[in-house]
């Protein structure tokens, strides 16, 4: 069962990275400014999520955008760490 989970996780990670790379290349061929702007917006959103995760806690409820950004950053960081450690075919 552990082997099946490892294979599924490897396939998901490799296909996600390949899909993002393909989307970037296709977008760059169609409209470089829009692709650069969208990529920059994604990086800003991930940066905000990382900042929300690492800053000192303050009293009060965290907003929905902050929670989504933090969760997205955590998933992206785990995916990048996993892809960096595996050998995608």
């Amino acid at each position: 069962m552990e082997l099946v989970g490892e294979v599924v996780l490897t396939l998901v990670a490799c296909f996600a990275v390949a899909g993002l790379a393909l989307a970037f290349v296709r977008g760059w061929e169609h409209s470089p400014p829009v692709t650069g702007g969208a990529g920059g917006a994604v990086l800003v959103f991930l940066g905000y999520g990382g900042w929300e995760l690492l800053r000192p806690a303050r009293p009060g409820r965290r907003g929905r955008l902050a929670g989504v950004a933090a969760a997205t950053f955590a998933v992206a960081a785990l995916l990048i760490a996993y892809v960096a450690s595996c050998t995608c075919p």
Side-chain angles (χ1 to χ4, degrees), residues 47-61:
Y48 175 61
W51 180 71
E52 282 292 328
L53 277 178
L54 300 176
R55 73 183 177 123
R58 66 176 182 196
R61 194 175 133 220

Side-chain angles (χ1 to χ4, degrees), residues 3-84:
L3 179 64
V4 173
E6 184 75 22
V7 169
V8 168
L9 186 58
T10 301
L11 288 174
V12 168
C14 289
F15 282 135
V17 169
L20 287 172
L22 181 65
F24 181 79
V25 168
R26 295 291 171 124
W28 192 263
E29 289 172 355
H30 183 67
S31 176
V34 172
T35 304
V42 168
L43 288 176
V44 167
F45 185 71
L46 288 173
Y48 175 61
W51 180 71
E52 282 292 328
L53 277 178
L54 300 176
R55 73 183 177 123
R58 66 176 182 196
R61 194 175 133 220
R62 185 188 321 205
R64 287 185 188 171
L65 180 64
V68 170
T72 304
F73 176 80
V75 169
L78 289 173
L79 180 67
I80 289 169
Y82 186 78
V83 168

